[in-house]
Amino acid sequence: MQFGIFTVGDVTTDPTTGRTPTEAERIRAMLTIAKHAEDVGLDVFATGEHHNPPFVPSSPTTLLGYIAATTSTIQLSTATTLITTNDPVKIAEDYAMLQIVADGRVDLMMGRGNTGPVYPWFGKDIRQGIPLAVENYALLRRLWDEEVVDWEGRFRTPLQGFTSTPRPLDGVAPFVWHGSIRSPEIAEQAAYYGDGFFHNNIFWPMEHTRSMVRYYRERFEHYGHGTAEQAIVGLGGQVFMRARSQDAVREFRPYFDEAPVYGHGPSLEEFTAQTPLTVGSPQQVIDRYAAMRHDVGHYQRQLFLMDHAGLPLSTVLEQLDILGGEVVPVLRAEMASDRPASVPDAPTHAARVATARAAGTAAPEHDAPTQDRWTGRTAEDDLLAADAVSGERA
Amino acid sequence: MTARKIAVVSAGLGKPSSTRLLADRLAQATVDELARIGVTATVETFELRDVAHDIVNAMLTGFPSPTLRHLLETVTGTDAVIAVTPLYTTTYSGLFKSFVDILDKDALVGTPVLLGATGGTPRHSLALEYSVRPLFTYLRAHTVTTSVFAATDDWAGGTDTLASLPARITRAATELAVAVVARPASRPVDPFADAPNFADLLGDS
């Protein structure tokens, strides 16, 4: 089982000091946090994607490419990649590039985002959110899995003889998770492809998470990818810890009360009772998160939101020390204690390549497509060809 | 035949409140009308005052508290809704509208709804027609023709001796009872029941 962190990359004023980091400070803090996550023994760092202030991560592969160079073991991921408004061709290219740069330590999580105007900013219609997610992902899969793609759909200009470059490392595309909070269609999509399903339950009560995950597991089995218990599940979470729980509550409360999403809404006590947010001692966090498997079944990935609501970098790094040093080792042991052997680990590139080799679908040694059918073709060439065609028709 | 369920929502802020009083009268009259045609009905009544903070929290966080979730599930999985609001500044109260705002837009499609309102004088009675009814039309609820406005004087026997408050309540309740028996009994809402098969989604795209 993988334990890691995800960031939404918000620039938020620290309510206890009134200080707001600059965008540059925030981005550098994210780089430091990712490196520290690896140093304290965490398995995953994931970044969100946003296209409006006060969020900074508009260019996830640039950020993750740098982190790939400063780390050696941590898995790099997204939370989430906007499958609705990004061109699937660009996602295929960017993440295949990142996958090679990071030597396979890359997966990504598809999502539809939660900011309405992003759709029109990128020329899309928000009412088509689900159809965009469905069509764009279907194209993305083909661009990764097939070398030469002819394609026509509703939302993007057609492709004829298109090859996405670079090809995925070892002929095995990055593993994909699909994140959704409310839409059964996305759980259905994850199940259809045998991909992972991530429920970012940080704002949701467990009854809801349980029913979404159960639905995904049933459909995963329906589509023949394995038994329901073998489906690939991830959960979100958020915690704030101090050795004494009352210290944790006292220190975190001002950040909670002013937080961008739930601030000025429910009390800290109501919110911690109703969602996975846990503010207290490391043992309280262990107890809460070790119990998650009783609600959703044994799962593969637990991500925590740690750097938000204006918490200063020094505090976030201390929180990671506690998470990696005291909490995750115990959670690993607890989760492993009753985990059936039939439940798979979280997918890694090495494991997926081994599976592909066994199935004979991995790329051969010399896999690069070398034929260049396009460079040097000029507009005049195409115009001549077009004239020739129209001449034939006329 | 199984008992039909009626959910009553009162947005009155006072304790006691004349809005709740009107809601109770409408509910009892509906139960009586259904009984007269051989249908038993159960009533669950909610005062939005009790969940006012939860409603605001749901607007801010996007998810309801357990108490509010029970209310929402009851209202959206019922055979009929009786919705009663005080009129403030020419229209439904802000709390009433906030409650409607957190309902899923399809939650009341086809559900029989009886509207009621309270106000100081009969001069406000048409507010039900020009402001409250369009809200439920937008939600595509089956809103019965008669809505019931009760002015302060109505509680004393009245400004209107030809169409008294009890007579208006009975007429509205009769319409609601007819609408209830005209449709099959409600079932608990299953959000996954209508989830499309992925092959269909791909075909649509």
Side-chain angles (χ1 to χ4, degrees):
Chain A
M1 174 151 176
Q2 293 175 335
F3 294 88
I5 57 172
F6 71 106
T7 180
V8 290
D10 57 314
V11 176
T12 302
T13 303
D14 182 334
T16 65
T17 62
R19 191 174 180 287
T20 308
T22 65
E23 288 185 327
E25 283 173 335
R26 182 67 174 105
I27 291 167
R28 288 185 193 116
M30 290 163 72
L31 299 174
T32 304
I33 287 165
K35 175 75 170 71
H36 200 68
E38 175 171 290
D39 292 344
V40 301
L42 299 179
D43 309 312
V44 185
F45 174 84
T47 178
E49 176 186 330
H50 295 274
H51 298 277
N52 54 295
F55 304 98
V56 292
S58 56
S59 182
T61 54
T62 310
L63 187 84
L64 295 176
Y66 179 94
I67 295 169
T70 61
T71 56
S72 57
T73 58
I74 200 165
Q75 185 81 6
L76 307 173
S77 189
T78 58
T80 59
T81 295
L82 302 179
I83 187 64
T84 43
T85 50
N86 281 306
D87 183 353
V89 172
K90 199 70 180 108
I91 295 178
E93 294 173 344
D94 282 347
Y95 284 89
M97 185 75 155
L98 178 65
Q99 185 195 30
I100 292 169
V101 166
D103 200 19
R105 287 187 285 131
V106 171
D107 54 62
L108 60 169
M109 194 197 304
M110 300 302 173
R112 285 170 296 145
N114 59 1
T115 310
V118 171
Y119 285 85
W121 288 334
F122 286 84
K124 309 295 186 209
D125 181 344
I126 193 169
R127 293 170 299 177
Q128 301 278 19
I130 296 274
L132 279 162
V134 169
E135 178 178 305
N136 286 351
Y137 186 65
L139 172 56
L140 175 62
R141 278 254 66 95
R142 289 194 56 199
L143 291 167
W144 275 341
D145 296 343
E146 301 170 29
E147 191 169 307
V148 181
V149 173
D150 293 341
W151 180 86
E152 194 168 339
R154 285 165 63 195
F155 299 114
R156 187 195 190 286
T157 198
L159 299 168
Q160 295 297 331
F162 184 81
T163 298
S164 173
T165 181
R167 304 301 304 146
L169 182 63
D170 303 314
V172 175
F175 184 74
V176 172
W177 301 79
H178 298 265
S180 178
I181 294 171
R182 263 190 284 215
S183 302
E185 290 92 338
I186 299 302
E188 177 78 11
Q189 182 183 34
Y192 177 83
Y193 289 102
D195 293 340
F197 179 68
F198 188 91
H199 195 261
N200 187 15
N201 48 319
I202 62 172
F203 301 136
W204 287 80
M206 188 41 92
E207 302 87 72
H208 176 76
T209 305
R210 193 188 301 128
S211 59
M212 282 292 283
V213 171
R214 187 192 302 129
Y215 181 75
Y216 158 70
R217 287 185 185 280
E218 285 169 6
R219 300 302 291 170
F220 182 92
E221 181 167 313
H222 168 83
Y223 284 115
H225 301 295
T227 65
E229 70 165 12
Q230 291 171 326
I232 307 296
V233 172
L235 294 183
Q238 52 177 344
V239 296
F240 189 88
M241 300 160 287
R242 289 297 178 199
R244 302 189 323 151
S245 60
Q246 59 269 44
D247 292 340
V249 170
R250 185 175 338 112
E251 184 176 345
F252 190 64
R253 191 185 296 282
Y255 294 93
F256 177 88
D257 286 346
E258 298 292 326
V261 174
Y262 37 72
H264 305 281
S267 69
L268 176 61
E269 286 70 16
E270 287 171 313
F271 203 77
T272 50
Q274 293 168 18
T275 77
L277 172 65
T278 307
V279 182
S281 66
Q283 188 59 47
Q284 285 175 285
V285 171
I286 289 166
D287 291 345
R288 191 99 186 265
Y289 283 83
M292 296 282 176
R293 69 187 192 279
H294 303 311
D295 285 304
V296 301
H298 285 278
Y299 59 112
Q300 281 71 23
R301 177 174 283 186
Q302 173 67 56
L303 297 185
F304 295 96
L305 176 63
M306 305 297 288
D307 65 328
H308 64 122
L311 288 166
L313 175 61
S314 58
T315 304
V316 174
L317 297 179
E318 287 167 11
Q319 291 294 308
L320 292 181
D321 289 337
I322 302 171
L323 186 67
E326 300 176 41
V327 171
V328 164
V330 182
L331 279 178
R332 282 192 206 283
E334 291 238 356
M335 298 287 197
S337 66
D338 59 352
R339 191 176 180 98
S342 53
V343 173
D345 289 329
T348 61
H349 184 70
R352 284 162 52 75
V353 168
T355 306
R357 292 233 163 98
T361 55
E365 291 275 308
H366 301 287
D367 63 337
T370 49
Q371 186 195 359
D372 180 357
R373 289 165 296 162
W374 306 112
T375 311
R377 282 186 66 84
T378 62
E380 287 75 11
D381 291 337
D382 288 342
L383 280 175
L384 285 171
D387 286 345
V389 170
S390 59
E392 282 165 21
R393 282 186 189 150
Chain B
M1 190 185 252
T2 52
R4 297 305 185 97
K5 291 174 292 185
I6 300 169
V8 181
V9 175
S10 168
L13 295 186
K15 287 250 179 185
S17 104
S18 59
T19 303
R20 171 64 191 265
L21 187 58
L22 176 61
D24 288 344
R25 294 288 177 92
L26 291 168
Q28 187 58 51
T30 306
V31 170
D32 292 347
E33 277 305 314
L34 283 167
R36 209 171 52 77
I37 50 181
V39 177
T40 53
T42 58
V43 174
E44 196 165 354
T45 303
F46 302 95
E47 295 214 31
L48 296 186
R49 185 186 207 285
D50 297 336
V51 289
H53 286 272
D54 300 55
I55 288 171
V56 174
N57 288 345
M59 294 172 88
L60 293 178
T61 64
F63 72 87
S65 68
T67 310
L68 183 57
R69 189 166 66 248
H70 169 70
L71 195 170
L72 292 171
E73 285 172 357
T74 304
V75 167
T76 58
T78 189
D79 293 298
V81 173
I82 296 173
V84 190
T85 177
L87 296 180
Y88 291 160
T89 327
T90 76
T91 185
Y92 36 70
S93 74
L95 179 59
F96 184 82
K97 179 60 160 53
S98 295
F99 167 70
V100 174
D101 285 347
I102 62 168
L103 291 174
D104 185 273
K105 70 175 174 55
D106 295 324
L108 292 181
V109 171
T111 303
V113 173
L114 168 55
L115 299 177
T118 56
T121 74
R123 281 193 296 280
H124 300 291
S125 58
L126 278 177
L128 269 169
E129 302 306 320
Y130 67 69
S131 71
V132 187
R133 188 180 296 274
L135 200 57
F136 287 85
T137 303
Y138 175 78
L139 295 173
R140 291 184 284 141
H142 176 106
T143 312
V144 299
T145 309
T146 299
S147 59
V148 179
F149 176 84
T152 306
D153 281 354
D154 278 312
W155 300 106
T159 46
D160 189 337
T161 50
L162 293 176
S164 67
L165 179 62
R168 301 198 304 274
I169 287 172
T170 303
R171 190 170 80 221
T174 305
E175 291 171 8
L176 187 63
V178 167
V180 166
V181 297
R183 34 188 335 259
S186 62
R187 298 215 176 113
V189 180
D190 176 3
F192 299 105
D194 298 328
N197 185 294
F198 196 74
D200 297 337
L201 282 176
L202 271 178
D204 285 347
S205 71

